[in-house]
Amino acid sequence: MKEKINIVWLKRDLRTQDHQPLQFADDANIPFIIIYILEPSMIKRADWSLRHSQFVFSSIENMNKHLKKYSRSVDIFYDEAIKVFKEIDRQFNIINVFSYAETGVKETWDRDNSVRKFFQFKNICWKESQTNGVLRGINSREGWDKNWYKNIKQPLIINKFSNKHIIQYQNPRPVPKELQYQISNYPSEFQEPGESKAWEQLNSFACNRSSEYLFNISNPSKSRHSCSRMSAHLAWGNISSKQCYQFILNHVHFDKNKRNFRAFLTRLKWRCHFMQKFEVENEYETRCINKGYELLEKSKNKEFISHWMDGKTGFPMVDASIRSVKETGWLNFRMRAMLVSFFCHHLDQDWRDGANFLARQFLDYEPGIHFPQFQMQAGTTGINTIRIYNPVKQSEDHDKEGVFIKKWIPELASCPTSSIHEPWNYYSTNDMFNESPNEANYINPIIDHKLQAANARKKMWGHRSNALVKSEKQRILMLHTRSSTFAR
């Protein structure tokens, strides 16, 4: 007779504390294993990149350092989820699978449905815990705010691991050696992952860095220090939203720094608000959520797309932002919004041709936030103000001295600060500019940004009168925003 076991299936919850599935497993009187499944189909997706796998791997390493004292570890399986569970089922009698519900792309939803059918066939109980205050299966936001605050203020789970019910087994689907080498070599340019680093980051933010939080939030250089930098840790579950919220709310410095702290707590709720949107309609990933915008024609200019992705549009703030996020995996929100706006409005490109590219760059990529935010900035929701950011004004307002620009665009190192935002005016007769840039030259602007902005405003605002856009607007308002507010 096969030995009975339980399984904890980790997804975007790579931590050892405030972890309900781990608590369920430890409380049950059955041996359990903890697994993470690195699925070939997922890492081949257009929105996935090596840096994501590297962050996951290092986060699991950090977990294992803590779990080692309890003779436990997280095992990484490399195969499709359904195959992994079938293989484990051949060795053991699986009684329960504990995991957090994942707000993921449609492919993860389809995978879960396939796994669920297998569990039902084998009489395996799958218990999915709620995460981030996101509710599954709702068709109205009525009362959502109240439930979110109730959830976020619930007592934290203090996971106390025991040495009981340890089971020895051989991982039948280990990560191939070549891939193991790639994901284990974490680049120093990226933010350090893991539960321990998450708490270090949160503590330094609360005790010191948060004093300039709101003042520097739009500055692409200074925000790297004064922003919380918790986004990647939250995206991969190195720390829970509840842990962040309660730590800040109960911090000894809260009253002295109330304005900055409250702004941070509000943004924690924003994250969950957008994830709830995606949970209800994961079509955000593939089509305009307001179907009326599928009728809006966009140009398909492969050269423009390539220039944007390479950080060679001729607009310093756009190019510096692209180069920065490609190198470091992080960019402040204002510059992210500007990149999407420039791509969709100034370059007149379909948002889908840029969404996966930025997803691959963002170390903190969270589908439930990324796609709704991308569409909001692209102006395809019908319910949000159309934002067409002037790339020159953004540069002047948020990088006045050109510090960020010169750091990421060495071609402009000798450009006077007075001309750094519109260098084409200063170097109009100089070899600094070249239609085909090399390492020594910076490119001329690929568009007339004022003309293109005017065209985009006319096009986007004019389409708002479309009958389907109007009817979809009402549907979206009822489904996603009814009785929902961002802050108390």
Side-chain angles (χ1 to χ4, degrees), residues 7-46:
I7 298 174
V8 176
W9 180 12
L10 300 179
K11 297 178 180 180
R12 287 177 172 264
D13 49 300
L14 306 178
R15 62 181 183 275
T16 64
Q17 291 299 312
D18 196 40
H19 201 293
Q20 193 170 67
L22 285 172
Q23 182 191 43
F24 285 154
D26 205 55
D27 287 346
N29 195 30
I30 298 174
F32 70 94
I33 60 174
I34 311 169
I35 70 172
Y36 180 88
I37 306 175
L38 190 61
E39 299 164 276
S41 60
M42 296 301 167
I43 65 177
K44 290 177 182 176
R45 281 179 50 88

Side-chain angles (χ1 to χ4, degrees), residues 73-333:
S73 65
V74 179
D75 277 323
I76 303 177
F77 286 72
Y78 181 74
D79 208 336
E80 301 307 320
I82 186 68
K83 293 181 179 179
V84 168
F85 285 112
K86 285 181 178 179
E87 180 62 35
I88 298 175
D89 176 69
R90 278 193 281 269
Q91 296 184 50
F92 300 99
N93 180 13
I94 306 171
I95 304 301
N96 300 289
V97 174
F98 303 113
S99 74
Y100 275 107
E102 180 182 9
T103 303
V105 295
K106 186 176 184 300
E107 195 166 345
T108 65
W109 177 262
D110 292 340
R111 172 207 64 200
D112 286 354
N113 283 336
S114 175
V115 168
R116 184 174 287 105
K117 289 178 181 178
F118 172 72
F119 289 165
Q120 290 171 348
F121 176 73
K122 302 295 290 189
N123 292 317
I124 297 169
C125 176
W126 184 12
K127 185 172 182 60
E128 292 184 281
S129 297
Q130 177 186 327
T131 183
N132 293 308
V134 175
L135 303 173
R136 179 158 289 178
I138 65 172
N139 54 20
S140 170
R141 292 294 285 267
E142 192 72 44
W144 187 86
D145 283 54
K146 183 178 179 180
N147 285 330
W148 188 87
Y149 281 111
K150 180 180 179 181
N151 176 274
I152 207 74
K153 293 177 180 179
Q154 288 294 312
L156 298 175
I157 295 171
I158 308 301
N159 292 91
K160 297 180 179 179
F161 298 92
S162 66
N163 294 97
K164 63 181 182 180
H165 310 314
I166 303 297
I167 189 167
Q168 300 297 325
Y169 76 106
Q170 187 70 35
N171 183 344
R173 297 287 190 273
V175 178
K177 288 184 178 180
E178 183 178 348
L179 180 58
Q180 175 93 6
Y181 175 78
Q182 291 178 327
I183 66 178
S184 63
N185 282 274
Y186 193 79
S188 60
E189 296 83 6
F190 296 158
Q191 185 175 349
E192 293 184 270
E195 186 174 21
S196 300
K197 293 299 179 181
W199 281 104
E200 286 181 19
Q201 199 81 353
L202 185 60
N203 189 58
S204 70
F205 173 70
C207 293
N208 183 280
R209 296 183 293 108
S210 60
S211 61
E212 299 293 319
Y213 177 61
L214 286 174
F215 187 76
N216 291 330
I217 198 168
S218 295
N219 185 299
S221 293
K222 295 179 179 178
S223 59
R224 285 182 176 273
H225 175 78
S226 59
C227 276
S228 74
R229 302 301 307 276
M230 296 304 296
S231 58
H233 295 302
L234 286 164
W236 300 105
N238 293 163
I239 194 168
S240 70
S241 296
K242 192 197 302 181
Q243 286 173 308
C244 278
Y245 191 95
Q246 294 189 21
F247 182 83
I248 294 297
L249 187 65
N250 299 317
H251 199 271
V252 64
H253 295 156
F254 188 86
D255 289 336
K256 296 178 182 178
N257 197 20
K258 190 174 293 186
R259 183 167 176 266
N260 286 307
F261 280 156
R262 286 200 180 281
F264 172 74
L265 295 181
T266 297
R267 282 162 176 79
L268 278 178
K269 184 165 182 287
W270 283 359
R271 289 186 78 258
C272 303
H273 168 79
F274 282 101
M275 291 176 72
Q276 184 66 66
K277 284 187 175 187
F278 196 70
E279 176 68 33
V280 173
E281 282 191 282
N282 63 17
E283 290 88 347
Y284 267 106
E285 176 195 358
T286 55
R287 68 161 174 82
C288 296
I289 204 63
N290 184 312
K291 295 176 184 177
Y293 283 95
E294 292 292 341
L295 305 175
L296 184 67
E297 291 186 8
K298 289 281 188 176
S299 63
K300 180 80 169 182
N301 189 314
K302 292 184 179 179
E303 186 177 352
F304 279 0
I305 295 173
S306 178
H307 277 298
W308 181 76
M309 290 181 176
D310 291 339
K312 294 179 179 178
T313 67
F315 293 93
M317 185 56 85
V318 173
D319 295 342
S321 295
I322 284 286
R323 297 183 194 189
S324 169
V325 75
K326 286 174 73 172
E327 182 72 18
T328 71
W330 188 85
L331 190 67
N332 66 322
F333 176 78

Side-chain angles (χ1 to χ4, degrees), residues 300 305 308-309 322 339-340 343-344 349-362 370-371 374:
K300 180 80 169 182
I305 295 173
W308 181 76
M309 290 181 176
I322 284 286
L339 287 179
V340 178
F343 183 82
C344 297
Q349 300 305 301
D350 189 297
W351 62 270
R352 282 161 284 216
D353 290 323
N356 284 329
F357 168 78
L358 280 184
R360 293 194 300 272
Q361 312 315 314
F362 294 150
H370 180 74
F371 291 105
F374 213 101

